Amino acid sequence: TDDASGDITSSEVGQLLGNGSIEDGKFYTAKVPFGYNYMDENNEIRVSLIWEGLTDLDLHCVNPRGEHIYYSTGSRKDRFGGYLDLDMNGMDKSSKTPVENMRWSSNAPEGRYKFYVHNYSERVSQFKGTPFKVEMEINGKTFVYHGEPLRNDNEVTVFEFEYVKGQQPNITNSGSYTS
């Protein structure tokens, strides 16, 4: 990662660490480019899609009220404050280390959530597809889904669960996740 090209440079992070404004390891990682970090907020629910290469993978969510949040203009937010930050390697920005995030800072509706990943445009390996990782953080606990290579125009459900405020999710899909 070129730490000089993001919204905040490595030296600026060093200054913030030095004066105690942030804690080491809590607000940035070497893997995620500066300016695209997802651990710098308190969120009721956060889901992050992480992969490598210029393939256009997309994170989707169907919330408990049936609203579909995804990359399409006009569909990036729900009525409860949940939103997709950007469409990497698609309509917004390109990166070889892309990350897309959905989050609800508060007011996440209770009920059934379904998060899935769609390979909109395979640009790395047409025959093998692109592997990925999805992190889901709910009430401070992180769950990780390790996705097998996803081929062009395929999709896979990564997390499906019942959400109750203040409780850990009851994940019902039989995906490849760890907590």
Side-chain angles (χ1 to χ4, degrees), residues 52-66:
E52 293 182 355
L54 294 173
T55 293
D56 182 7
L57 296 182
D58 292 313
L59 181 61
H60 291 250
C61 175
V62 178
N63 75 14
R65 305 299 184 263

Side-chain angles (χ1 to χ4, degrees), residues 3 8-18 22-41:
D3 66 0
I8 184 170
T9 67
S10 180
S11 64
E12 290 171 319
V13 169
Q15 290 173 347
L16 293 170
L17 286 168
I22 63 173
E23 297 174 29
D24 189 21
K26 188 172 182 182
F27 296 92
Y28 66 94
T29 66
K31 175 71 180 154
V32 181
F34 292 102
Y36 295 99
N37 298 308
Y38 48 83
M39 294 184 68
D40 58 352
E41 296 182 1

Side-chain angles (χ1 to χ4, degrees), residues 75-165:
S75 298
R76 292 189 186 197
K77 296 182 180 183
D78 70 9
R79 294 177 293 144
F80 306 95
Y83 68 95
L84 172 69
D85 60 357
L86 58 122
D87 180 25
M88 290 299 293
N89 296 343
M91 297 190 325
D92 295 327
K93 296 183 178 192
S94 290
S95 173
K96 290 184 180 179
T97 55
V99 178
E100 292 184 4
N101 305 288
M102 281 191 195
R103 64 188 93 211
W104 287 258
S105 296
S106 59
N107 301 318
E110 292 187 342
R112 184 162 212 67
Y113 284 80
K114 178 181 178 180
F115 288 92
Y116 63 96
V117 174
H118 175 238
N119 186 331
Y120 183 82
S121 180
E122 178 59 49
R123 298 182 183 135
V124 175
S125 176
Q126 290 296 327
F127 299 107
K128 292 183 182 176
T130 298
F132 62 92
K133 177 172 82 168
V134 178
E135 293 181 357
M136 177 175 73
E137 182 181 5
I138 297 182
N139 298 319
K141 183 168 182 167
T142 303
F143 302 85
V144 179
Y145 181 98
H146 299 279
E148 296 293 324
L150 191 59
R151 295 178 72 181
N152 193 60
D153 205 32
N154 286 333
E155 61 185 49
V156 63
T157 299
V158 293
F159 291 108
E160 193 165 3
F161 61 93
E162 292 291 327
Y163 176 68
V164 177
K165 287 188 186 300

